[in-house]
Amino acid sequence: MKSITMKKALAIIAALSITAGLAACDDSGSDPGSNGGPQVTTATTPPREMDEEDKAAVAEIDMGDDVQKLENGTVRWLSHWDLNPEDGKPKGVDIELFETNYGGKIEYLQTTWETRWDTFSTLVVSADPPDLFPGGELDVFPGRAINGMFQPMDDYLDFDSDMWTDSAKKLSDEMTLGGKHYVAVTNADTVCLCIYNKRVIEENGLDDPAELLKEGNWTWDTFKDMCLDFIDPDEEKVALDGWWFEHNLILTTGKPAIGMENGTIVSNLMSPEMERAQAFMLEVNRNGFNIDRAKYNWTEQKHYVGEGKVLFYPVGVWQLYEPDLSVFGDEGEIMFVPMPRDPSADEYYIPVSTGIDSFVLCKGAPNPEGAAAFIKCRLMSVKDENAKAIKEKQLREDYHWTDDMVEMWDLTIDLLNQHPVIEYFPGVSVEINSALNDPLKQASYSGTDWATTRSGISDAVQTYIDNLNVTIANDFS
């Protein structure tokens, strides 16, 4: 194997630091400082401690036989969001496990979405690298792993152990180069959900999507029929708002635009699955399902869901962790379902490309053992039944979820664990991301047929992929 030297990695990182981010995000965090360096932050209000009953339940979680206090308990986490609880929020099971079993703590190196790669470069070049970086932002793998910014985790984590199950195992095993794991997926719960208001559904005489799902009838077809019945230009009623629909609809076919197979990058742009998804999105455009974004200065109108002017708001589950859900309606009215099933697919595929709970180990990480210990705690906070019960309790008490919402979440995760699908094009390269991000949405946005769009991008994308696969074969075999 041809190894990537630290000198080469530093040169690549420095070059990449001047490149704009591959995607956009509203949550940019606080100002990290004018010099591009991170701020080490602490909450102004301490997290709320677990009650004694929950602490006792956490203490019963079996972390295995190799648990011992870390020689270095501090794990440096670089991100635009904190692993520690926000001010006054309840402490998560993962942090409680990390503190009590390993004597660990997370040191938050705060950056912003826009400057995170600059901050990363600054730290690595100054020989002060972080340990962990979020792997779920989708612009991390495989491109930046190919460029030597991260290191494999197999020396510190056993990816064949019982801790990895279901979607976490499948997706971690996908994200390999040369047979080594570069992304540790701990949970895939940030799927794209279609939020809706039950009162609005009832007032418009529509079938409840949650009931359709339980009956096995929540498909593209029933989704389309509901939208057609709902839209009314005279009443300013539209079917969809938000930015997460198109890419996630594609994934319900079971095929991402760009995938990973046995450590090799593959294009599915010519596949019948892509053709099918794009044809459906062309119908979405021609039937006027989407809100007129330009009319609202390209700003989402979430409140229209509760007001009965928007039927579905596709978004990640993080939206339902916000402290105030009243923007979608009164308590008891808010509900969600996963993306509708492709009726021509062989299984019910659930998209996870809107962000997965995962981590990458930074090149030259000072505390890889501590990083691995935290990842184990994160895994057990998802897998263990006691941990699940605590999370459900927090969903009800702290985020005001109803029993129906919790039940739907459990059903969604069951479906996801069977057939998760992730999109890789944002993480392959800047060029491929630029080539695909907007064109994949043009059928829905501008009514352009897929054959026209594809003819302008497929050859160039395949050339980029072929070149990267040559690099993978040379450097990671």
Side-chain angles (χ1 to χ4, degrees):
M1 172 181 176
K2 296 180 181 179
S3 62
I4 298 178
T5 66
M6 179 61 76
K7 183 176 180 181
K8 178 182 176 183
L10 293 178
I12 292 169
I13 292 167
L16 286 172
S17 71
I18 65 173
T19 305
L22 295 177
C25 179
D26 290 333
D27 180 13
S28 60
S30 303
D31 180 8
S34 59
N35 63 356
Q39 290 181 336
V40 178
T41 67
T42 56
T44 55
T45 302
R48 193 174 73 247
E49 292 292 331
M50 291 183 172
D51 59 36
E52 293 306 315
E53 180 182 357
D54 288 347
K55 282 188 175 184
V58 172
E60 293 177 3
I61 296 175
D62 183 8
M63 292 295 298
D65 298 329
D66 61 344
V67 174
Q68 55 184 330
K69 297 296 182 183
L70 292 163
E71 183 175 334
N72 176 8
T74 300
V75 172
R76 291 158 52 84
W77 162 251
L78 175 64
S79 181
H80 60 290
W81 55 276
D82 196 354
L83 287 167
N84 298 296
E86 297 178 9
D87 292 352
K89 295 292 184 183
K91 185 183 295 184
V93 173
D94 55 346
I95 297 295
E96 181 75 15
L97 283 170
F98 192 46
E99 291 176 354
T100 57
N101 283 276
Y102 295 97
K105 71 173 183 177
I106 300 296
E107 181 181 276
Y108 177 34
L109 307 179
Q110 185 181 27
T111 184
T112 70
W113 172 273
E114 293 83 1
T115 62
R116 60 205 166 100
W117 292 114
D118 293 322
T119 308
F120 184 98
S121 174
T122 299
L123 290 171
V124 173
V125 171
S126 62
D128 188 28
D131 295 300
L132 289 177
F133 191 81
E137 305 296 348
L138 300 186
D139 58 353
V140 170
F141 184 87
R144 287 183 164 95
I146 294 172
N147 287 332
M149 298 174 74
F150 306 107
Q151 59 182 320
M153 301 186 184
D154 301 78
D155 289 342
Y156 309 101
L157 291 167
D158 180 4
F159 286 88
D160 291 323
S161 74
D162 292 339
M163 283 189 175
W164 262 273
T165 59
D166 301 324
S167 58
K169 171 65 174 172
K170 180 181 186 299
L171 295 173
S172 294
D173 285 348
E174 276 189 22
M175 298 186 193
T176 61
L177 295 172
K180 299 291 186 179
H181 293 81
Y182 281 81
V183 182
V185 178
T186 53
N187 195 18
D189 70 358
T190 47
V191 293
C192 184
L193 306 173
C194 291
I195 298 175
Y196 65 95
N197 184 292
K198 292 195 292 184
R199 170 183 49 78
V200 172
I201 291 287
E202 184 176 354
E203 289 175 351
N204 285 271
L206 302 173
D207 292 329
D208 189 338
E211 294 304 317
L212 290 173
L213 178 66
K214 293 174 184 177
E215 297 165 2
N217 293 322
W218 177 236
T219 68
W220 291 3
D221 296 333
T222 52
F223 168 86
K224 181 179 69 175
D225 290 343
M226 290 182 68
C227 292
L228 288 171
D229 288 342
F230 180 80
I231 58 177
D232 185 344
D234 294 336
E235 297 292 328
E236 296 186 318
K237 292 165 64 176
V238 297
L240 296 170
D241 191 11
W243 301 98
W244 291 39
F245 174 74
E246 289 81 11
H247 289 161
N248 288 288
L249 181 93
I250 292 169
L251 294 183
T252 63
T253 67
K255 285 282 185 72
I258 304 297
M260 291 290 298
E261 295 179 5
N262 301 316
T264 300
I265 307 167
V266 297
S267 169
N268 295 311
L269 296 181
M270 307 298 292
S271 70
E273 289 85 359
M274 179 62 72
E275 187 79 42
R276 189 164 67 240
Q278 292 289 337
F280 184 83
M281 290 192 291
L282 192 59
E283 287 189 72
V284 166
N285 176 272
R286 290 175 175 172
N287 286 296
F289 285 8
N290 286 321
I291 196 169
D292 184 354
R293 295 175 172 89
K295 180 180 177 180
Y296 300 99
N297 196 29
W298 307 98
T299 302
E300 297 166 323
Q301 304 299 304
K302 301 174 189 177
H303 57 286
Y304 277 2
V305 174
E307 293 178 13
K309 293 184 177 182
V310 167
L311 186 59
F312 293 115
Y313 180 73
V315 71
V317 69
W318 56 265
Q319 181 68 71
L320 294 174
Y321 294 151
E322 296 295 313
D324 183 11
L325 299 182
S326 63
V327 67
F328 298 116
D330 295 334
E331 191 167 338
E333 296 179 349
I334 304 163
M335 193 55 184
F336 62 86
V337 284
M339 291 291 288
R341 176 175 58 84
D342 173 6
S344 298
D346 57 341
E347 301 288 352
Y348 194 160
Y349 294 100
I350 300 292
V352 296
S353 290
T354 49
I356 53 175
D357 190 47
S358 60
F359 303 87
V360 287
L361 186 62
C362 301
K363 191 77 172 182
N367 190 8
E369 294 83 5
F374 174 75
I375 289 171
K376 292 177 184 178
C377 294
R378 192 80 162 188
L379 283 164
M380 292 307 297
S381 74
V382 176
K383 177 182 177 182
D384 183 82
E385 290 302 322
N386 287 340
K388 290 179 182 178
I390 292 171
K391 181 176 181 179
E392 289 189 0
K393 177 182 176 182
Q394 292 177 346
L395 287 174
R396 290 183 172 93
E397 294 181 358
D398 295 287
Y399 301 103
H400 309 293
W401 283 32
T402 63
D403 289 344
D404 286 343
M405 293 170 73
V406 173
E407 180 185 355
M408 178 55 64
W409 183 243
D410 289 341
L411 176 56
T412 301
I413 292 302
D414 286 343
L415 291 170
L416 182 149
N417 281 331
Q418 295 174 51
H419 302 290
V421 187
I422 189 169
E423 179 61 74
Y424 286 94
F425 81 78
V428 175
S429 71
V430 172
E431 293 84 1
I432 288 180
N433 182 73
S434 298
L436 292 183
N437 188 44
D438 286 335
L440 290 176
K441 300 180 286 190
Q442 287 311 302
S444 174
Y445 277 23
S446 64
T448 305
D449 67 275
W450 177 235
T452 299
T453 299
R454 183 180 59 200
S455 66
I457 60 175
S458 58
D459 289 346
V461 167
Q462 190 61 56
T463 298
Y464 283 127
I465 288 175
D466 290 344
N467 290 336
L468 284 170
N469 281 332
V470 169
T471 300
I472 293 172
N474 289 338
D475 291 353
F476 296 89
S477 61

